[in-house]
Amino acid sequence: AKIFTPKVRSNQKRQDGRADKAKPAARAVWHGQGVQQSMSAQFPLLIGFVLLPYSIKISKVAPAARRAFFTEAAPLRALLRRKDMVRIALIGCTGSIGMQVAQVVRRYPERFRLTALACGRGGAAFEALLAEFQPAVALCAEGTFDAPEKVAKLAAGEEARLFEDCDVAFIAAGGFAGLKYTLLAAEAGKKIALANKESLVCGGELVMRAVRERGIDLVPVDSEHSALFQCLAFRRDAAFSKLVLTASGGPFYSLSREELARVTAADALRHPTWNMGAKITVDSATLLNKGYEVIEAKWLYHADFSQIEAVVHPESIVHSLVYFADGAALAQLGYPDMRVPIQLALTYPERLPCE
């Protein structure tokens, strides 16, 4: 980058040697190159200075008002959209992770836009998201829904269209259903933010082969695997000696065998540290979830099972550790809030403030 500094040159001296009293000619010099440009070339720069106060005022507008601008003023949005705005196809939008993705988008409407929404069973929550974010397309796998006029409703067999106009496919669907969408996103050549465990537990070989063949980016969203990703400098192919996944132990960690015989499903849903969906909360209570994460780590980081360890850490502050060949270890620490790995998956290596 060159530093642009305007200089004013006076007209040539008169023959008598006195400086011309007329107004100096307005010229600018690019230092280092000696190229002169007229004031007309500086017009965009002047416009930028004029608009700067207004852009500062816009940045201070309440998030709801900014969101309305970026979702409703389509022509202006297309003109003024930042080059780094991330267009997201959100699969599983009404689940726990999906709703937290929506929170992140609400906070940064100038950085993120939901271009496609998909869910399993529809309902009022799905229709509310459609009305708020106005995606281009929407899909409900097992139900009907009412969509705003400008939102195209997709039918079964049209799932691939969800990924036509996005930069990131955020796979937050629960259970085995997520595998189909992960493979479709990979086939479309889109970056994948993966929050669906079953995609790798059930189809790890298929998914990783598709990612490798397409040369696309797959970013883990699970708190433990996001922590490993960060410790490995955002590289899934980095060298390491051992991966350590932490587990809270769930709500039954300190109970005796006699007490375990009397627990109920409601008890299993009371996780001591994380606020998650019902399925993953129950899987955490039985520690099945940690078994899934060990399998995920094998596929994500090309690890042997002998290189993966799980330890109980009830405070849920250390999310994962990585040991290296020289004996050094790196850990990622933070409060248990899924919005942190969600947001990081969309912005890394950049980090934005997170509530």
Side-chain angles (χ1 to χ4, degrees):
K2 302 285 186 184
I3 298 177
F4 179 66
T5 308
K7 273 190 175 182
V8 176
R9 289 185 175 180
S10 61
N11 288 336
Q12 293 181 349
K13 292 183 178 181
R14 295 179 178 176
Q15 292 182 354
D16 58 3
R18 291 178 301 170
D20 191 354
K21 300 299 184 181
K23 291 183 180 180
R27 292 185 178 180
V29 177
W30 288 95
H31 289 284
Q33 295 182 0
V35 179
Q36 297 182 346
Q37 294 190 349
S38 66
M39 282 295 290
S40 62
Q42 299 180 50
F43 183 72
L45 182 63
L46 296 175
I47 291 297
F49 280 117
V50 171
L51 294 180
L52 180 60
Y54 297 97
S55 65
I56 293 174
K57 290 179 181 179
I58 290 173
S59 68
K60 295 181 179 180
V61 172
R66 285 190 288 141
R67 183 168 63 254
F69 172 80
F70 279 95
T71 56
E72 295 173 11
L76 285 176
R77 184 180 67 243
L79 179 64
L80 300 177
R81 191 182 77 183
R82 292 174 53 135
K83 291 183 179 180
D84 57 350
M85 174 175 274
V86 179
R87 299 168 301 163
I88 306 166
L90 177 56
I91 312 303
C93 60
T94 57
S96 175
I97 295 295
M99 296 300 278
Q100 291 180 83
V101 174
Q103 290 179 25
V104 172
V105 175
R106 285 190 191 100
R107 184 170 187 189
Y108 293 104
E110 71 280 9
R111 295 295 301 266
F112 307 119
R113 172 162 169 74
L114 295 174
T115 58
L117 292 175
C119 72
R121 296 181 179 85
F126 184 48
E127 293 179 357
L129 289 173
L130 294 177
E132 178 182 2
F133 293 105
Q134 299 285 318
V137 294
L139 172 72
C140 181
E142 300 177 6
T144 60
F145 64 96
D146 294 324
E149 182 180 353
K150 296 181 180 180
V151 178
K153 297 174 65 173
L154 302 182
E158 295 183 296
E159 291 87 352
R161 289 184 58 192
L162 291 165
F163 308 110
E164 288 180 352
D165 188 33
C166 74
D167 302 305
V168 178
F170 203 113
I171 312 298
F176 183 69
L179 175 59
K180 173 175 68 175
Y181 294 101
T182 302
L183 292 174
L184 285 173
E187 182 66 23
K190 303 297 183 178
K191 171 184 173 180
I192 299 173
L194 187 61
N196 172 261
K197 299 176 185 296
E198 285 79 3
S199 289
L200 294 179
V201 172
C202 302
E205 184 175 355
L206 298 175
V207 171
M208 299 313 295
R209 181 193 304 154
V211 167
R212 185 171 56 253
E213 290 177 351
R214 289 285 177 173
I216 60 176
D217 198 6
L218 188 152
V219 185
V221 178
D222 266 353
S223 61
E224 293 83 0
H225 294 105
S226 175
L228 295 174
F229 191 53
Q230 295 173 62
C231 291
L232 293 169
F234 302 115
R235 289 180 53 193
R236 292 191 299 102
D237 60 349
F240 59 85
S241 293
K242 184 169 66 173
L243 306 177
V244 179
L245 306 171
T246 60
S248 68
F252 305 147
Y253 175 61
S254 60
L255 300 187
S256 65
R257 287 182 178 272
E258 292 74 19
E259 291 172 318
L260 285 173
R262 298 191 295 272
V263 299
T264 65
D267 295 328
L269 290 170
R270 298 191 186 98
H271 199 281
T273 54
W274 288 97
N275 180 20
M276 305 179 292
K279 180 184 183 301
I280 189 173
T281 302
V282 172
D283 287 346
S284 295
T286 63
L287 293 185
L288 176 64
N289 182 63
K290 203 54 52 180
Y292 286 165
E293 290 174 357
V294 169
I295 298 173
E296 285 183 275
K298 163 189 163 50
W299 291 111
L300 284 170
Y301 302 106
H302 315 288
D304 294 328
F305 285 123
S306 60
Q307 295 177 287
I308 308 169
E309 182 180 348
V311 299
V312 174
H313 171 52
E315 294 79 9
S316 298
I317 297 297
V318 178
H319 298 302
S320 282
L321 302 89
V322 178
Y323 284 92
F324 299 94
D326 59 359
L330 291 179
Q332 190 267 332
L333 288 72
Y335 290 111
D337 186 340
M338 279 304 300
R339 289 173 297 182
V340 175
I342 286 171
Q343 185 171 287
L344 186 63
L346 298 172
T347 65
Y348 88 93
E350 182 184 2
R351 293 180 184 268
L352 300 178
C354 187
E355 295 178 353

